[in-house]
Structure formats: C-alpha cells, structure tokens
Amino acid sequence: MQQLKLALTRLVEQQDLYNEAYGLFQHHDLRPRVLPVQPEVNKRISLSPELQYFYSHYEMVDAQAEGTLKMKNAAVEIGDAALLFFVAPEHLHRQQLGFRWVGMQEPYEESASWSPNHVVIANLNDDPIIVDVEAPHSPVYAAFEGGEPKRVASSLADFFNALAILIEHARSLGGEVKDEETYETKPEYLTRVQPKLEEMLGEAHTKHLIEYLSL
C-alpha cells in the first residue's frame, strides 16, 4: 500500500500546485483526511484494498454539493485538456447507474454485460474510469464513446501517478495543453509526458489513457 500512499501524495501535491496557479474550482478537490474513516459505501459494492485505502484516507470535497441531492465529487483538472470527477464513496451506487445497474427507477436491474467486479470511481464527460476490485493491485480501465473498457494502468497507484505527471506538465505550460485555434494537443506537451507514461504504464496502456483523455 506504500506505493499507493506515495502516488496519492504526489497527485494531491500536483493538484494543489496547479489549482493555486490556474485552477477553476475552489473547495472542489481531493483532500487527505486528518484521521482515517470507515467509508460509507452501498453494501452491494465491493471495494478492493486499494480503494478502501483511498476512500478511508482521502475526502472528495465538494462545497456546492453539501446539503443538496447533488452527487458529491472532486474535480481534477489536467490543464485545459481534461476534467475528471471522482465520486465520493457514499455516492458510488449512483455512479454505477447506467453501467452495472440499468433502468429508469428503482429497483434497477443488473446489466448482463457488466462485471460486478468493475466499479466506476470517476468520469470524464460521462465516460467512466473503472477499477477491477477483484484483481491484484486494482487495475484501472477507461471506456469512451460507449466502447469496451480498455486498461489504462495495471494498478491504482500507477493511475494516480500518471495523473500527477499529466498535471505537473500541464502546469509547466501555464495550464494551456491545447492549441487555442485548432484545439489539438500541443506537441511539446505530448513530447514531455508520453515517454514518462510509457515507462510507467507501458505503451499500450499509455495509448488507451491518451485516447480516453483526448490528448
């Protein structure tokens, strides 16, 4: 669990540096808890040891959701290229709707095509980030444009480290990852991040992550 601890520390550090300089969201981010807690999770959803650590040691702060029916989540910006929303554990059941559970209202039905081991923890434009809670180290998958989930990291720690790399280099470019005229990702950004990601994630997983984030 030490690798996950270090990865989360690195991610929050880069998140905070970016938000201080360029962030668009206030009181809407990942925060380490002062003391670990037992996360409140719907009993039908299983957590891997890595997700248990994540939710017990980190909080998804969302000031606008407090006291409302809004699904509480934390916003993680990757420059002007991508915005990920990580749902709070108490709302994980709602995050699975349309994926594991389908239908218009309770009682929702289990989707025959969705593995109960796959838990959606975040999304980008309603495209899910998925953790396999039964596999060792909690590998991470992403699905986009309604396609099959593709693995983007062999562990939750690698995924959070990858986000930290992407945020750090977005900050080095003043938060401007996309060309403002073509909205294509700037070549200098990819030149900086791609080798680092490939070294950690592997070529195939890096390709899938870049596709998911539209970089």
Side-chain angles (χ1 to χ4, degrees):
M1 210 59 70
Q2 183 66 16
Q3 288 183 330
L4 179 59
K5 179 180 179 181
L6 292 173
L8 280 163
T9 299
R10 183 183 183 189
L11 171 59
V12 169
E13 178 183 70
Q14 292 303 324
Q15 168 203 256
D16 290 352
L17 288 170
Y18 182 88
N19 285 347
E20 183 179 348
Y22 310 109
L24 300 176
F25 296 89
Q26 299 294 322
H27 309 296
H28 192 187
D29 53 8
L30 289 174
R31 291 284 106 215
R33 297 183 184 274
V34 176
L35 294 172
V37 302
Q38 179 62 35
E40 178 187 341
V41 179
N42 186 285
K43 63 183 180 180
R44 290 176 286 181
I45 298 173
S46 299
L47 296 183
S48 64
E50 289 79 12
L51 278 182
Q52 179 73 30
Y53 179 89
F54 176 42
Y55 292 130
S56 62
H57 288 77
Y58 285 81
E59 180 182 7
M60 287 82 232
V61 173
D62 188 351
Q64 292 187 352
E66 295 296 339
T68 74
L69 297 178
K70 180 179 179 290
M71 190 160 63
K72 183 179 176 184
N73 55 58
V76 174
E77 294 180 68
I78 302 174
D80 58 359
L83 179 60
L84 293 166
F85 291 99
F86 286 83
V87 69
E90 60 266 31
H91 292 145
L92 274 175
H93 177 265
R94 287 172 63 183
Q95 182 68 91
Q96 313 312 304
L97 299 181
F99 301 108
R100 179 177 174 182
W101 288 291
V102 295
M104 299 302 293
Q105 60 186 18
E106 289 277 14
Y108 299 106
E109 296 182 0
E110 291 253 8
S111 171
S113 61
W114 189 268
S115 169
N117 298 336
H118 282 184
V119 175
V120 180
I121 66 166
N123 67 81
L124 167 67
N125 298 328
D126 294 326
D127 289 330
I129 289 288
I130 304 155
V131 170
D132 186 338
V133 297
E134 291 296 323
H137 311 300
S138 298
V140 180
Y141 295 78
F144 40 95
E145 297 180 354
E148 289 295 315
K150 295 180 180 180
R151 187 179 287 202
V152 297
S154 295
S155 70
L156 192 59
D158 282 352
F159 177 68
F160 287 139
N161 269 320
L163 295 185
I165 289 170
L166 290 163
I167 295 168
E168 179 181 8
H169 289 281
R171 183 167 55 86
S172 73
L173 291 175
E176 297 178 358
V177 172
K178 296 285 189 176
D179 183 287
E180 60 183 28
E181 292 186 3
T182 66
Y183 210 64
E184 296 292 325
T185 303
K186 293 179 178 179
E188 57 264 42
Y189 180 69
L190 290 174
T191 299
R192 295 181 189 187
V193 301
Q194 196 160 347
K196 295 177 183 293
L197 294 177
E198 288 181 353
E199 181 179 357
M200 182 175 60
L201 304 177
E203 187 175 338
H205 297 166
T206 296
K207 179 176 181 289
H208 296 155
L209 182 59
I210 286 174
E211 286 177 351
Y212 173 77
L213 296 172
S214 299
L215 295 177

